[in-house]
Amino acid sequence: MDELFGRDEERGRLQSLLKRGRTGMSGAIVLCGAPGVGKSALLDHVQAVAEGSHQILRFDAVDSEAELGYAALHHLLAPHLFRLPGLPLPQRNALGRIFGLQDHSAPPDRLLVGVAALGLLTAAAAEQPLLCLVDDAQWLDEESAVALGFVARRMYAESLTMIFAVREGIESAPTLRGLPSLPVDPLPARHATQLLEAVVDGALDTEVRDRIVSATTGNPLALIEAVRELSPAQLSGVSPLPDPVPLGQAIEKLYVRETLTLPAGARALLLAAAADPTGDPNVLWRAGALLDYDADAAAPAEEQNLLTIRDRVTFRHPLIRAAVYHAAPTALRVRTHAVLADVAGDLGNTDLRAWHLASAATRPDDAVAMELEAAAHRTLSRGGWAAASTLLARSAALTTDLPSRAHRLLSAAEASVVAGAPGRGQPLLDAAAAYQADQHHNGQVQRVQARIHRLAGDTGAAAGALLSAARQLAPIDIRMARDILVEAVVQAQIGGSLAPAASTRRAMAQLIRDLPLPPAMDRTPGDALLDADATLHIEGIAAAAVQLHRAIDEVRQAPATAPELFQWLAAACAHATLLGDDTALNTLAWRMEKEARTQGAAIPLALALSHTAVSELVAGRIREAEILFDKRSAWEEARGNEDHIGALLIAAWRGQYTTAQELDEIVTQQAARNGQGYQLVFRDYARSVVSLSQGRYAEALGGLEGCLTESSQLKFAICDMVEAAVRCGRQTQALSIRDYLQDLAKLTPVPALLGDLARADALVLEDDASAEPLYLEAIQHHENTRGPGRRARSHHLYGEWLRRGRRTKEARHHLRSARDLFTQMGAAGYALRAAMELSAAGSSSEPRQHTPATDSENHLTTQESRVARLAADGATNAEIAAQLFLSVHTVDYHLRKVFKKLGVHSRRELQENRKYIGS
């Protein structure tokens, strides 16, 4: 029956999505409603309307496939795999791995799989608008659900329309949360009556009609199935209706009764079809030879419209499949799965064979458990973490040996955590933790527990669990224990001042000292990092400096193949920052970024982007830093999170004070919520930038007081602290800070710190003529640093000193240099301060562009600004798409909007108008 009753609003919204797709835009929506309420009918309607104008991909998920990793994505993307060569290499490799087209040595990152799926689907949509329909999305396998949810969130201008249908509310499909939703409610009585009259061929008594409509409460499936169950005499009122009228939960019983009227062969075929998750007719016919049915057995089932066998085996409704399967006696289900296991083995599908063997097992069976474990490892190599977790959990349930069972439970928990499902992983981990006879096992339990805490946003608890894991493992595996300690150090760096007492940096340092590496064991760069970190937090930075520099050098030389490379690089970046070694930080951070992109490692890439962005910002390369922060924010958004620290730092440097104040509050709340104290450090730095650029020295001094701690990440701002103290008249404090900076510069004699020290010396001697050569020395050193940031500040402060000494002509030269450098950087707040000083020095040629930009000056959206900055930086549309996790078509769309808003016609003109895009 093609007609839909009472669905005008729903059809209108869905057809508007199709129209949007035909005009080059994209859209996604989730239909939510009870079983049988009409979601599938709406998908059928949309599919019929789209025929001819759209390419159509449809996948009707079934609960049995929920355990098969990337099953839905295989079905949806298989017709378009010929487009793989057009994707960037990392994305091509990610999809190649899950489709078994490439080596499985490294599981693909799930974020990359989502980006690749977006690229493949949008490439198809470029030829003809594409409609993707997914029914019963609550039964999607976890990996496919994540990838499709990613695509639905990141598409914009690709002629791609995605419509999902889920049972009940959106909570049944958590990966789709946040997408627009459309409730599909039961039909009002008037429309239910129309439907009933349409499905009854013969006479329909008015009283009978009203009773059926009332009893089915507007559920179309219940109404239709009730009519199927009633005789013409009952419908016409000649015979009484049953009481109650069959509906609701009884629908499955109706389906069961339908199957009982079929011949034995047809019932056996239906059970095999219900038990087989592939929907492959070839499997059905092969199984028939052993289950006593042949091709003729399908006819009665098809005549009753219970299922259809064409290219795939499909049931009229998922409830039929469920009813057939669960109503069958256990012995029949076991026999059916055993036969299907043999068929899967004959077809070479060893993973599916293991799955069927597990479903056929009625008692523990170590042989089947081993096959399931092997299947799980093969699934892991394709990135199917959630599916592997299910296989391992089932393997554990079939295992008789207690240690093996505990090991498989632990592996299942770990796979769930990597899949981003800590709620599913925690019970598995709790079960694994019950086995305490193996100390190595206990330590690994704590390591996985740390990852669950990290996913929950509890940074302190994560660090504490890592320390516990190291203590457990140390007596039996010191190598692994110390590797875990490197992970704990990185976690502690993130926690910063918000870390609980048990996992402070000093507590961690003491544990490192308590777990030394045996003399006979080979040392790694991680060991060098640990020993340096322990010395730093127990004896101080002076005692640790040589070790820290040596550890950083060892990490620089570490091979890309080292398993712990990303942890080493993350720890080394933090150590370079607290040493004030801007050159080492830049080298390490960019290597981390390169290796993360090469290996398709998303989380290390996010860490790398944070470090590279800070490195560029400190150098005064604000435009470059903003682009890197953009990429980091895009990464977080692609994962469904938010990141504002970069935007706060950029707003502070650009003199966008209203925006900075708003972001300050957001960052403060997020840091407290996630236990990420490092964000508070950079929040305080942003505050100091705002205060210094406005000449509010007391506030700047208060915000920078944390610079002097041994583990401070703001060593580059110590000179600013000297300036603030001097301007507040706190000479004794200024001298003390200057002495600290002198000690640091001796430990790390790089041009940046040597120039900072010279400038600090000049500041504390500013009433003395001897300050002048020190200012000139600072400028000379800062000429040899990366970027213009320090050089601009040294010219600025020297110019101010000259003006106060009434040497206005010389002052104008240096203030003009500072103003121009600040302007080129985009540091509007400092540019305005320099311009005001220049005016006070008698300059009358004041360019107007030094006024801090208003926060909404260009009227570009956040995404348009990101695209524009990358385009102005010379990136191609494909490169922008890869870096912002968008499609090329969306990038092109945003870029056309940018050109129109800014009144430019080329990328060259865009580069010339960088001031309007925050660059």
Side-chain angles (χ1 to χ4, degrees):
M1 187 189 66
D2 295 329
E3 187 173 4
L4 290 176
F5 296 96
R7 297 299 187 197
D8 292 346
E9 180 182 351
E10 293 89 340
R11 284 186 297 178
R13 285 193 62 180
L14 296 176
Q15 288 174 8
S16 69
L17 272 182
L18 291 181
K19 181 179 179 181
R20 181 177 169 86
R22 288 193 295 270
T23 59
M25 302 304 291
S26 296
I29 199 165
V30 183
L31 307 180
C32 306
V37 80
K39 304 181 298 296
S40 299
L42 284 167
L43 293 185
D44 294 340
H45 170 77
V46 172
Q47 184 170 344
V49 170
E51 290 285 355
S53 63
H54 287 69
Q55 303 173 74
I56 298 172
L57 296 175
R58 180 161 180 169
F59 183 75
D60 295 344
V62 293
D63 55 350
S64 57
E65 281 195 338
E67 299 176 2
L68 303 179
Y70 289 115
L73 214 60
H74 272 254
H75 178 83
L76 290 168
L77 298 187
H80 297 284
L81 284 182
F82 69 91
R83 305 181 192 276
L84 271 180
L87 297 180
L89 182 61
Q91 299 174 29
R92 189 160 69 241
N93 289 342
L95 277 188
R97 287 172 189 161
I98 70 167
F99 276 93
L101 303 176
Q102 292 185 359
D103 173 43
H104 294 160
S105 58
D109 184 89
R110 295 204 303 173
L111 187 60
L112 265 185
V113 172
V115 176
L118 176 64
L120 216 61
L121 291 172
T122 55
E127 298 176 1
Q128 184 183 8
L130 180 63
L131 172 63
C132 181
L133 302 170
V134 179
D135 202 0
D136 281 313
Q138 74 277 357
W139 286 332
L140 283 171
D141 63 274
E142 179 76 17
E143 286 77 19
S144 295
V146 169
L148 293 174
F150 172 89
V151 172
R153 288 185 181 86
R154 302 303 289 178
M155 62 187 191
Y156 190 79
E158 298 86 0
S159 296
L160 176 58
T161 304
M162 302 185 77
I163 304 176
F164 302 88
V166 301
R167 279 194 180 182
E168 305 299 346
I170 193 67
E171 65 277 356
S172 65
T175 58
L176 303 180
R177 285 177 187 155
L179 294 177
S181 62
L182 175 61
V184 182
D185 297 319
L187 294 174
R190 175 169 61 93
H191 297 300
T193 299
Q194 291 175 331
L195 173 61
L196 179 59
E197 291 172 343
V199 298
V200 174
D201 290 333
L204 177 63
D205 180 75
T206 302
E207 184 178 341
V208 169
R209 180 200 67 193
D210 293 344
R211 274 196 65 191
I212 295 173
V213 168
S214 175
T216 56
T217 63
N219 184 293
L221 179 64
L223 186 149
I224 292 169
E225 296 304 325
V227 170
R228 286 178 181 274
E229 185 72 6
L230 299 173
S231 68
Q234 289 171 320
L235 291 170
S236 64
V238 174
S239 298
L241 291 176
D243 189 19
V245 174
L247 57 95
Q249 294 182 352
I251 290 176
E252 288 195 29
K253 294 181 180 179
L254 295 179
Y255 291 143
V256 172
R257 285 204 293 272
E258 280 191 67
T259 65
L260 292 176
T261 65
L262 297 174
R267 293 200 304 273
L269 179 144
L270 279 172
L271 179 57
D276 172 40
T278 69
D280 183 354
N282 184 38
V283 171
L284 205 58
W285 304 136
R286 282 174 175 263
L290 298 172
L291 291 174
D292 306 322
Y293 66 81
D294 56 22
D296 293 337
E302 290 196 292
E303 286 171 4
Q304 285 192 216
N305 195 25
L306 292 170
L307 88 172
T308 303
I309 304 175
R310 298 290 183 269
D311 294 337
R312 281 176 61 84
V313 180
T314 56
F315 283 85
R316 183 177 84 234
H317 193 278
L319 288 177
I320 299 176
R321 180 185 195 130
V324 167
Y325 185 82
H326 293 294
T330 301
L332 276 181
R333 288 205 305 267
V334 168
R335 180 179 175 228
T336 300
H337 279 296
V339 168
L340 289 171
D342 290 340
V343 171
D346 292 342
L347 294 174
N349 193 335
T350 53
D351 292 352
L352 189 59
R353 166 184 157 78
W355 184 83
H356 278 302
L357 286 175
S359 298
T362 58
R363 61 179 62 88
D365 187 322
D366 288 319
V368 174
M370 287 181 66
E371 288 204 42
L372 280 171
E373 184 177 38
H377 289 307
R378 288 190 294 271
T379 301
L380 283 178
S381 71
R382 297 190 296 270
W385 295 98
S389 176
T390 301
L391 290 169
L392 287 164
R394 181 63 174 144
S395 173
L398 296 175
T399 302
T400 58
D401 176 64
L402 189 56
S404 298
R405 183 174 185 271
H407 170 74
R408 287 164 179 165
L409 283 167
L410 176 60
S411 297
E414 185 173 17
S416 277
V417 172
V418 176
R424 189 167 58 210
Q426 187 66 64
L428 291 167
L429 189 65
D430 292 342
Y435 177 75
Q436 298 181 2
D438 183 338
Q439 201 165 347
H440 187 276
H441 173 81
N442 298 338
Q444 292 288 31
V445 165
Q446 288 300 313
R447 191 175 198 179
V448 176
Q449 186 65 68
R451 292 171 182 172
I452 290 178
H453 288 316
R454 190 182 306 149
L455 283 175
D458 194 339
T459 304
L466 288 170
L467 294 181
S468 178
R471 291 189 189 98
Q472 292 270 3
L473 288 165
I476 54 172
D477 191 343
I478 190 65
R479 173 71 280 147
M480 181 175 287
R482 285 178 66 87
D483 287 344
I484 289 174
L485 282 175
V486 178
E487 189 178 344
V489 165
V490 174
Q491 200 64 32
Q493 290 164 351
I494 295 171
S497 61
L498 297 179
S503 54
T504 61
R505 300 300 299 277
R506 184 171 180 85
M508 199 167 294
Q510 190 57 57
L511 181 59
I512 293 169
R513 287 277 177 91
D514 293 342
L515 303 178
L517 189 73
M521 188 171 287
D522 291 339
R523 289 176 62 81
T524 69
D527 294 312
L529 289 164
L530 287 176
D531 293 342
D533 202 70
T535 302
L536 169 70
H537 293 287
I538 293 174
E539 301 177 40
I541 195 168
V546 173
Q547 289 177 290
L548 288 167
H549 285 298
R550 186 184 300 124
I552 288 169
D553 288 340
E554 288 188 28
V555 173
R556 278 175 170 161
Q557 298 168 28
T561 55
E564 305 292 331
L565 178 65
F566 290 124
Q567 294 289 356
W568 296 345
L569 284 167
C573 281
H575 286 164
T577 303
L578 63 88
L579 280 170
D581 192 342
D582 64 315
T583 303
L585 171 62
N586 190 258
T587 302
L588 292 163
W590 280 109
R591 184 185 177 193
M592 190 176 181
E593 197 265 359
K594 176 186 174 183
E595 297 292 353
R597 289 197 184 278
T598 300
Q599 298 183 33
I603 291 178
L605 176 60
L607 277 173
L609 289 171
S610 294
H611 285 299
T612 52
V614 169
S615 173
E616 297 300 334
L617 183 71
V618 171
R621 295 160 60 90
I622 299 175
R623 176 170 58 86
E624 290 81 356
E626 186 168 24
I627 289 173
L628 292 163
F629 281 130
D630 283 346
K631 295 176 186 178
R632 164 72 197 217
S633 295
W635 182 89
E636 289 288 359
E637 289 169 10
R639 296 175 66 242
N641 300 326
E642 294 181 353
D643 176 65
H644 298 284
I645 191 67
L648 169 59
L649 289 167
I650 295 299
W653 268 99
R654 291 207 182 286
Q656 297 171 337
Y657 301 133
T658 301
T659 298
Q661 184 175 1
E662 294 169 353
L663 291 170
D664 183 299
E665 296 175 5
I666 294 172
V667 167
T668 301
Q669 293 170 4
Q670 285 186 336
R673 187 164 56 246
N674 299 325
Q676 296 183 345
Y678 87 94
Q679 292 199 38
L680 298 180
V681 173
F682 287 100
R683 177 209 62 186
D684 291 345
Y685 174 64
R687 289 176 176 176
S688 75
V689 170
V690 169
S691 298
L692 277 176
S693 65
Q694 293 183 317
R696 303 200 315 266
Y697 299 109
E699 292 178 25
L701 182 61
L704 288 172
E705 284 178 339
C707 291
L708 301 186
T709 65
E710 302 289 65
S711 59
S712 168
Q713 297 169 308
L714 300 182
K715 300 296 173 59
F716 54 83
I718 296 176
C719 191
D720 293 336
M721 196 175 179
V722 175
E723 176 192 357
V726 168
R727 296 289 184 259
C728 290
R730 300 180 185 177
Q731 191 69 9
T732 301
Q733 187 176 4
L735 286 169
S736 175
I737 299 168
R738 177 263 172 208
D739 290 344
Y740 184 91
L741 180 56
Q742 182 182 50
D743 293 340
L744 184 63
K746 288 178 181 177
L747 301 174
T748 310
V750 293
L753 282 182
L754 293 174
D756 285 355
L757 176 61
R759 191 205 300 165
D761 284 339
L763 282 163
V764 297
L765 294 173
E766 86 168 359
D767 292 333
D768 193 307
S770 58
E772 183 164 16
L774 292 168
Y775 275 122
L776 294 172
E777 181 185 346
I779 291 170
Q780 184 178 3
H781 279 303
H782 287 157
E783 289 283 351
N784 296 317
T785 59
R786 285 185 328 101
R790 283 180 161 95
R791 185 166 77 254
R793 293 280 285 130
S794 290
H795 276 294
H796 180 202
L797 294 177
Y798 180 37
E800 287 185 345
W801 184 83
L802 288 168
R803 187 186 69 78
R804 283 192 294 275
R806 302 181 185 275
R807 295 163 61 180
T808 54
K809 182 178 180 181
E810 296 167 88
R812 285 196 295 269
H813 167 72
H814 288 281
L815 290 170
R816 191 173 291 112
S817 294
R819 181 202 63 190
D820 293 346
L821 286 170
F822 285 135
T823 300
Q824 291 164 15
M825 289 164 52
Y830 277 118
L832 179 59
R833 177 177 158 185
M836 292 171 65
E837 287 285 342
L838 187 57
S839 177
S843 174
S844 58
S845 56
E846 193 76 35
R848 295 176 56 190
Q849 64 262 37
H850 308 308
T851 302
T854 59
D855 299 336
S856 58
E857 177 182 344
N858 51 44
H859 305 295
L860 298 181
T861 67
T862 299
Q863 201 70 285
E864 287 167 355
S865 295
R866 291 174 181 171
V867 169
R869 283 191 283 269
L870 283 166
D873 202 48
T876 66
N877 284 11
E879 290 168 341
I880 296 171
Q883 292 169 17
L884 296 184
F885 306 103
L886 301 171
S887 77
V888 174
H889 294 281
T890 288
V891 170
D892 180 67
Y893 175 83
H894 284 314
L895 205 50
R896 282 187 274 114
K897 296 273 283 184
V898 167
F899 281 11
K900 183 176 180 180
K901 287 182 177 182
L902 299 185
V904 300
H905 302 88
S906 68
R907 289 173 184 254
R908 181 183 59 79
E909 290 185 54
L910 189 62
Q911 290 174 338
E912 294 171 355
N913 285 270
R914 277 181 171 152
K915 63 184 178 181
Y916 296 119
I917 55 174
S919 296

